[in-house]
Amino acid sequence: MTLIDTNVLLDLVTDDPVWADWSIRQLDAAAIKGPLTINSVVYAEVSVRFERIEDLDEVLEDAGITLADIPRSALFLAGKVFRRYRAAGGSRNGVLPDFFIGAHAAVTGLPLLTRDIQRYRSYFPSLTLIAPQT
């Protein structure tokens, strides 16, 4: 099973000229290894690109992507990591969702398919990331 980050799905739904092909290849490769999943945070972030819930659900179903609950232990870890981030001088803008996603992958041991590796590497160094080569 692979946890999919928001940016990968947005690459698909927006047909991003730079990243769509990479994201499609990575999703195909991950699907060969096992199920693809997102959590409620990713669902909410991707939903901004859709007018109707049925349209989003259809895209996810067509892609074979399921929705998984975030374990309580991951929610707890996300809060602790966010506190450490703020104590180190990090800004509040848009980071807590990444901590929910990273903590979910960390606690469940799932690889995370993402393009945004910096914050995940910094705060979840043991994560297995499927990401562009830097």
Side-chain angles (χ1 to χ4, degrees):
M1 183 176 291
T2 302
L3 185 62
I4 311 300
D5 197 4
T6 306
N7 53 61
V8 173
L9 292 179
L10 288 177
D11 291 344
L12 300 180
V13 300
T14 64
D15 195 21
D16 185 278
V18 174
W19 289 105
D21 288 341
W22 181 88
S23 292
I24 290 168
R25 285 193 311 274
Q26 298 308 311
L27 282 167
D28 287 345
I32 290 170
K33 295 177 184 175
L36 305 175
T37 193
I38 61 171
N39 61 33
S40 54
V41 173
V42 174
Y43 188 95
E45 289 183 321
V46 172
S47 75
V48 301
R49 293 294 184 163
F50 293 85
E51 292 299 319
R52 298 175 344 115
I53 191 171
E54 295 85 1
D55 297 334
L56 173 54
D57 288 347
E58 183 179 339
V59 166
L60 295 174
E61 184 177 330
D62 288 349
I65 298 171
T66 61
L67 183 63
D69 290 333
I70 302 173
R72 269 194 358 248
S73 56
L75 298 171
F76 187 84
L77 176 59
K80 297 304 176 197
V81 170
F82 182 69
R83 184 175 69 187
R84 193 171 83 218
Y85 168 80
R86 290 290 294 137
S91 70
R92 292 186 180 161
N93 298 340
V95 297
L96 191 53
D98 288 346
F99 292 144
F100 285 126
I101 296 163
H104 185 173
V107 165
T108 58
L110 293 175
L112 177 62
L113 175 56
T114 185
R115 286 192 289 100
D116 298 332
I117 60 173
Q118 182 66 29
R119 189 172 297 130
Y120 291 122
R121 286 239 190 269
S122 297
Y123 288 93
F124 303 98
S126 64
L127 270 184
T128 299
L129 297 177
I130 304 167
Q133 299 296 324
T134 56

